[in-house]
Amino acid sequence: KVSSGINAEYGGKERTSSASFSSTSDEIDDIFIACCLPSGCTVQSPVNLHQCVKLVSSSDQCTCSLFMHHSCFEIFEEQVLQHLKLSGRARSWSEKQRRQNI
């Protein structure tokens, strides 16, 4: 099972936010899809659905694949945290509070 740190099972650690994807190797056999890192994929190769982070968008109009490489997700998570440091009420939050609220 893969869930995303914006709800992902990531490197054996459960992280919090809101994504989930389940499969067994019998259901999906090495399916690849484009990485959805908004700033551009750093790996430059398709995402293997057995080794990825799946995000859930709250927008009904989202057309992204919603799958990222683990390394791309780490970059995305840091970008979100940087944005929160500069945004509204989240500016007064501690680093721990920001991570808990993404």
Side-chain angles (χ1 to χ4, degrees):
K1 177 175 180 174
V2 176
S3 302
S4 160
I6 292 184
N7 253 343
E9 189 176 295
Y10 177 76
K13 298 177 184 173
E14 185 69 20
R15 295 174 100 171
T16 333
S17 191
S18 60
S20 64
F21 174 76
S22 296
S23 72
T24 65
S25 56
D26 293 338
E27 293 173 17
I28 299 174
D29 190 23
D30 290 333
I31 295 177
F32 293 88
I33 193 162
C35 181
C36 69
L37 182 63
S39 58
C41 178
T42 59
V43 178
Q44 301 298 314
S45 68
V47 176
N48 182 331
L49 292 184
H50 288 294
Q51 301 169 348
C52 69
V53 176
K54 181 182 189 283
L55 306 175
V56 173
S57 175
S58 58
S59 171
D60 292 336
Q61 285 109 31
C62 182
T63 59
C64 294
S65 75
L66 302 177
F67 294 94
M68 284 187 198
H69 299 98
H70 290 283
S71 59
C72 291
F73 179 77
E74 288 177 357
I75 292 166
F76 177 69
E77 188 174 45
E78 287 305 315
Q79 290 171 343
V80 171
L81 289 170
Q82 287 300 318
H83 177 75
L84 286 175
K85 283 182 184 180
L86 306 173
S87 298
R89 67 180 184 171
R91 279 186 291 215
S92 63
W93 293 351
S94 70
E95 185 72 18
K96 182 178 178 180
Q97 287 173 309
R98 285 188 204 105
R99 287 192 179 275
Q100 289 174 335
N101 285 287
I102 55 173

